[in-house]
Amino acid sequence: MKPRKLPSGSWNVRIMCNGRSYSFTDPDKRRVMRRAAEFAEQCREDIDNPRLADALEKYVEERAESLSPATIRGYNGIVRAIRTQPPIANRRIMSLTDRDIQAIIRNIDSPKTQRNYVNLIESATGRKFSVKFRNKMPKEVAVPSDLEVLGLIN
């Protein structure tokens, strides 16, 4: 970051963040340097520790070439559902707790869908979470009575 003096007498600093250029201008040299430094720090934090929803979107985009269209649709549905929960979607991935993940899957009925959510989050964040899934409901197997078996045999 090197400040330069403009013809107007103000100071200007340009910063690159995520491939985009940002410009800060102020009459006071120290103030423009401070604002630019704060912005650069925030930019580094966004890269090193992104928000959950952003990390999920990036994960899906990076793997779009190797995943089937149905899987991508499913992942995008999960990302949309998580974005509807702003307090959790805007959390930094390093500050996520098991309780946060449990809150995301709490209202999902299917254990398989719950596992899909957690597996996507764990893959995108590179972290493991300890959550409790709903129990699978055992399928009721119809056992024929002795008379029904005899009826089938005869």
Side-chain angles (χ1 to χ4, degrees), residues 90-143:
N90 293 328
R91 297 276 307 267
R92 300 280 178 187
I93 61 173
M94 295 312 245
S95 67
L96 286 173
T97 64
D98 293 343
R99 280 184 162 184
D100 296 328
I101 306 305
Q102 193 72 51
I104 291 172
I105 66 169
R106 179 180 344 141
N107 296 325
I108 299 171
D109 291 332
S110 165
K112 182 178 183 219
T113 305
Q114 288 180 332
R115 282 185 174 76
N116 287 346
Y117 271 66
V118 174
N119 289 337
L120 176 61
I121 292 169
E122 287 179 345
S123 297
T125 62
R127 298 181 55 203
K128 294 291 181 196
F129 297 99
S130 177
V131 294
K132 294 182 180 175
F133 299 106
R134 290 188 191 274
N135 291 333
K136 290 183 180 179
M137 298 303 285
K139 293 181 179 178
E140 291 186 26
V141 179
V143 179

Side-chain angles (χ1 to χ4, degrees), residues 3-111:
R4 64 184 183 112
K5 191 161 180 117
L6 300 174
S8 65
S10 292
W11 290 89
N12 179 270
V13 175
R14 286 183 176 262
I15 294 180
M16 291 293 289
C17 179
N18 293 331
R20 295 181 61 190
S21 177
Y22 296 89
S23 177
F24 297 90
T25 305
D26 199 284
D28 183 31
K29 182 178 179 180
R30 276 185 255 141
R31 193 171 10 195
V32 77
M33 288 296 291
R34 187 178 66 243
R35 284 179 47 211
E38 288 170 357
F39 180 80
E41 180 63 31
Q42 181 66 36
C43 183
R44 273 192 294 280
E45 184 176 309
D46 286 347
I47 292 170
D48 296 338
N49 189 15
R51 289 174 168 69
L52 176 60
D54 297 335
L56 292 173
E57 283 181 355
K58 182 179 177 189
Y59 179 82
V60 173
E61 286 173 12
E62 288 174 351
R63 283 153 184 81
E65 296 283 324
S66 61
L67 297 174
S68 73
T71 303
I72 294 171
R73 273 193 308 275
Y75 283 174
N76 285 331
I78 292 172
V79 172
R80 276 193 307 275
I82 289 175
R83 280 215 180 267
T84 64
Q85 302 175 27
I88 295 173
N90 293 328
R91 297 276 307 267
R92 300 280 178 187
I93 61 173
M94 295 312 245
S95 67
L96 286 173
T97 64
D98 293 343
R99 280 184 162 184
D100 296 328
I101 306 305
Q102 193 72 51
I104 291 172
I105 66 169
R106 179 180 344 141
N107 296 325
I108 299 171
D109 291 332
S110 165

